[in-house]
Amino acid sequence: MDSPTPLLVIPALLWTAVAAASLIASIALSVRARRWEKGSDAWNPFDTDSPVIAVGAIAGYAVAAVIGGHLSAGSAAFSILWPAMAGSALTYAAGRRTRSWPRRAGAAFAAAGAALFGSLPT
């Protein structure tokens, strides 16, 4: 088993920290929106932006895993679903107050995370 280099591990850890923070923030904002703000939309990971974000995650993982030569179904499941959900959460949390947050920002975040996880050895 190859050990990953710190050049891959450190960005993957930083990405995971940002993804976890955005997921927690999205859940907290969604709960607050349901309780206190009438007519406000709660976070839904399968919103209308989810296909765009999922395609970004799939593309990011596929490119990194094919280049690295370790494409596997088991690794792909985690390496695509977690970044796709994190990209959706980031889009909701960051665009909560300002609706000008672009749709492709979540897809780019998901693609970056999937590429980082896809480039790590399994």
Side-chain angles (χ1 to χ4, degrees):
M1 180 174 166
D2 297 331
S3 62
T5 65
L7 293 175
L8 289 176
V9 173
I10 292 171
L13 286 174
L14 291 174
W15 184 92
T16 303
V18 171
S22 67
L23 186 65
I24 292 168
S26 291
I27 292 170
L29 287 170
S30 181
V31 168
R32 189 176 127 213
R34 284 186 186 217
R35 284 188 182 166
W36 303 107
E37 300 173 14
K38 300 297 182 198
S40 179
D41 57 338
W43 175 58
N44 180 7
F46 304 109
D47 202 6
T48 57
D49 294 340
S50 63
V52 175
I53 294 171
V55 166
I58 291 168
Y61 174 77
V63 167
V66 167
I67 289 173
H70 52 281
L71 185 66
S72 70
S75 175
F78 175 76
S79 298
I80 292 171
L81 290 176
W82 166 235
M85 186 169 53
S88 174
L90 180 75
T91 302
Y92 177 80
R96 181 77 174 101
R97 294 291 175 208
T98 60
R99 296 292 177 191
S100 62
W101 190 261
R103 290 175 48 168
R104 61 190 174 276
F109 184 72
L116 283 170
F117 284 121
S119 63
L120 291 173
T122 56

